[in-house]
Amino acid sequence: MAALGAPLRTLRALLRELRHAAGRSYRDSPAYHHVLAAFRAHRVTSEKLCRAQQELHFQAATYLCLLRSVREHEALHREYHGRGERSPQETAGLVGFRLPQQPGGKG
């Protein structure tokens, strides 16, 4: 993680990942309410300068990275996970080849 970026952008991305993880009812989840409450509690006002906001922003960015990585891992796992034995024709098709046709229509 090189740069954190804006806290609002991190919050929106975090809520988007929660929506991917929980589905349509993500606004009813405890994680959604906790994230919003934490961001509201650590915002900077004119009365205080809060160092904890940077800490919260870093933790949120780290959690966002975790959620995004888990989602992408599951997508890759679904796409490339073995489905048992494949036929030679199917295996050749995966790498972009076609098997030669045998004379007499056998292949």
Side-chain angles (χ1 to χ4, degrees), residues 32-89:
Y32 175 83
H33 294 291
H34 175 73
V35 167
L36 285 182
F39 266 87
R40 285 181 184 137
H42 288 83
R43 66 180 167 211
V44 176
T45 64
S46 61
E47 299 157 0
K48 67 176 182 176
L49 181 62
C50 184
R51 191 176 75 200
Q53 182 199 22
Q54 298 298 330
E55 181 181 339
L56 173 77
H57 189 196
F58 180 76
Q59 287 178 352
T62 304
Y63 189 57
L64 171 63
C65 181
L66 171 74
L67 287 175
R68 193 175 285 157
S69 298
V70 167
R71 181 176 52 87
E72 290 173 359
H73 173 264
E74 287 176 354
L76 288 172
H77 188 279
R78 268 186 265 114
E79 185 174 346
Y80 293 108
H81 185 66
R83 295 178 190 95
E85 185 95 19
R86 295 181 184 199
S87 68
Q89 291 84 7

Side-chain angles (χ1 to χ4, degrees), residues 12-32:
R12 286 181 178 165
L14 191 55
L15 295 179
R16 190 176 314 117
E17 289 298 324
L18 284 175
R19 185 175 62 231
H20 283 296
R24 289 192 178 268
S25 63
Y26 75 102
R27 289 187 179 194
D28 299 331
S29 70
Y32 175 83

